Amino acid sequence: MAQTCPRHALAWISPPAWAALRQEAPDAVARECLDWWAAQRLPLVVTRQAPGDARLALGLAAPERWGRRKLAVRCALDDVVAQGDFPAAAAAGPLLAPALQPAWRRLCGDLQALGCTARVHGSHGWQLLSGLPHLREGSDLDLLLPVASGAQADAVTGLLQGWAWDGPRLDGELLLPGGAGVAWREWQALCEGRVAAVLAKRLEGVALESRAMALGGGRPEAAELADRTSALQEGLE
């Protein structure tokens, strides 16, 4: 499943799967949102999977129209008929104030020059997908930053850390080659020696990991590590 439907992938599901999800909706507001999502043939996003559950955990962030609720659903892996990615970061330019757009284009270009094809998720990404208002005052700009090595991760975080930017707070994750997602600000703290481990989010769970572990050079071995991170898991994607 991890290779077939990675975390943060967009998943389009079959009409019968939508029908089942609408029947399982917890209330009328959620059902109305799911009805509209299905009618528009919009995707869901792959989230962290529950251990031992063969179904695929998916979700969506509803727009303002439905209270910006985060809806979590499950379906069979076979119900996924197509996969894709969140929009390229450059596509978020029109959602920004005109005065910010040149700097945003430069940032996207500089990330691309480092070999990182950034994508935008969170409120900006969902608004681009749905066409409905998701943003609110103070919404972060959430980036997905795929990197192929530790050196590339260092370069990307260094660029973001030093970027002169007057727009929304730049948040988001490095998507590391070992399958872990790490907040780029945490990675920068690791680079600067302010922390010895980062919270690595994977399809099957989260854990504090060293740089080598996060890059795929091994997994946490001590059971106590799971105990220390279990309190952090609730609410994480």
Side-chain angles (χ1 to χ4, degrees), residues 10 29 47 81-82 91 104 107 124 135 144 175 178-179 188 203 212 217 237:
L10 297 180
V29 174
T47 61
V81 297
W104 180 247
L107 176 58
H124 289 79
L135 297 173
L144 296 174
L175 304 181
Q188 183 65 23
L203 191 67
E237 293 180 351

Side-chain angles (χ1 to χ4, degrees), residues 7-237:
R7 190 169 155 268
H8 289 309
L10 297 180
W12 284 260
I13 63 174
S14 67
W18 274 119
L21 293 184
R22 294 197 297 271
Q23 290 181 354
E24 298 170 1
D27 52 52
V29 174
R31 188 175 303 109
E32 181 182 317
C33 180
L34 292 173
D35 282 341
W36 189 87
W37 223 256
Q40 301 302 313
R41 299 182 179 178
L42 290 173
L44 301 165
V45 65
V46 178
T47 61
R48 193 172 68 243
Q49 304 303 299
D53 194 332
R55 296 172 299 167
L56 185 65
L58 300 165
L60 69 87
E64 180 182 346
R65 178 172 170 181
W66 292 290
R68 297 189 177 91
R69 291 173 60 176
K70 292 185 178 181
L71 300 180
V73 299
R74 297 186 184 278
C75 70
L77 186 57
D78 289 344
D79 288 328
V80 176
V81 297
Q83 293 184 52
D85 297 308
F86 273 101
L95 301 181
L96 301 173
L100 295 172
Q101 292 178 18
W104 180 247
R105 288 193 294 270
R106 288 195 299 274
L107 176 58
C108 293
D110 285 355
L111 287 168
Q112 190 65 56
L114 293 175
C116 176
T117 303
R119 297 191 176 276
V120 61
H121 67 132
S123 298
H124 289 79
W126 285 112
Q127 185 156 320
L128 288 171
L129 288 170
S130 74
L132 295 180
H134 288 251
L135 297 173
R136 67 178 81 188
E137 186 176 355
S139 290
D140 291 345
L141 247 171
D142 295 303
L143 298 173
L144 296 174
L145 302 157
V147 294
S149 67
Q152 189 183 17
D154 297 347
V156 167
T157 55
L159 173 64
L160 293 173
Q161 181 71 15
W163 191 258
W165 174 247
D166 295 327
R169 182 176 182 270
L170 298 178
D171 208 350
E173 293 182 18
L174 297 165
L175 304 181
L176 301 176
V182 174
W184 74 262
R185 293 178 188 278
E186 289 190 36
W187 191 266
Q188 183 65 23
L190 186 69
C191 292
E192 296 171 353
R194 292 185 282 119
V195 299
V198 290
L199 189 66
K201 303 176 184 179
R202 298 179 183 273
L203 191 67
E204 66 274 14
V206 300
L208 288 171
E209 297 185 10
S210 68
R211 179 185 175 97
M213 288 176 176
L215 288 168
R219 301 302 306 278
E221 297 177 355
E224 61 190 72
L225 186 56
D227 294 336
R228 285 161 50 200
T229 59
S230 61
L232 298 171
Q233 294 187 17
E234 178 122 11
L236 292 173
E237 293 180 351

